[in-house]
Amino acid sequence: MNETTTLKSPPTLGVSIAVFRNGRVLVVTRTRPPFEGAFSLPGGHVEAGETLEAAALRELREEVGVTARIVAFNQHVETIRWENANQLSRQFVIASFVGAWVAGDPRPSAEVGDILWASPSELRQLTTTPGLASVVEDAAEIFAHSGFT
């Protein structure tokens, strides 16, 4: 960031979770900006005093009614939106986890529209949030070596 760049608010910390079941990953369409209508992983904001893992599991339950077990941390994802060349609109830093499905049939909510259990290779044919296919491919590799099925 150069000295003429302005930020409207500090970066927002979020979480997401790639939940696997029978070789497929749970993806959902977003009903709100940013990326409204695009497939993404369930997730959201971290609340004050909440661990990243607890936030990922809470968001999963709240958004789609699914319970999972954290397998591992996958990677962090950054999304930066600019209003113009010198004005930063929003910055998100997302801690992405790998999870194993435990219980629950996913259902839409205020934040989630369509729901899909997809093979990681299918994601490249869908409209997704930036970098989703790569994040899920990495998560699938971690899941494959985790001992979970």
Side-chain angles (χ1 to χ4, degrees), residues 2 22 26 67-68 70 80 83 97 102-103 105 114 116 119 124 126 131-133 147:
N2 63 46
N22 299 324
L26 178 63
T67 303
I70 297 287
I80 300 172
E83 283 193 23
F97 290 90
V102 172
D105 291 320
D114 295 331
L116 180 65
S119 68
R124 295 205 182 268
L126 300 173
L132 179 66

Side-chain angles (χ1 to χ4, degrees), residues 31-109:
T31 60
R32 300 177 182 162
F35 310 115
E36 185 175 351
F39 278 96
S40 189
L41 297 174
H45 298 278
V46 178
E47 295 179 358
E50 188 174 42
T51 67
L52 297 176
E53 289 182 353
L57 295 174
R58 175 188 50 76
E59 286 287 345
L60 178 66
R61 279 188 315 273
E62 288 177 1
E63 287 189 357
V64 294
V66 167
T67 303
R69 181 177 192 181
I70 297 287
V71 171
F73 174 76
N74 182 14
Q75 61 190 266
H76 81 277
V77 178
E78 291 183 82
T79 300
I80 300 172
R81 295 188 332 191
W82 294 91
E83 283 193 23
N84 58 53
N86 292 319
Q87 187 155 6
L88 185 61
S89 173
R90 293 290 307 266
Q91 180 177 2
F92 299 90
V93 179
I94 302 162
S96 186
F97 290 90
V98 181
W101 177 87
V102 172
D105 291 320
R107 47 139 179 79
S109 67

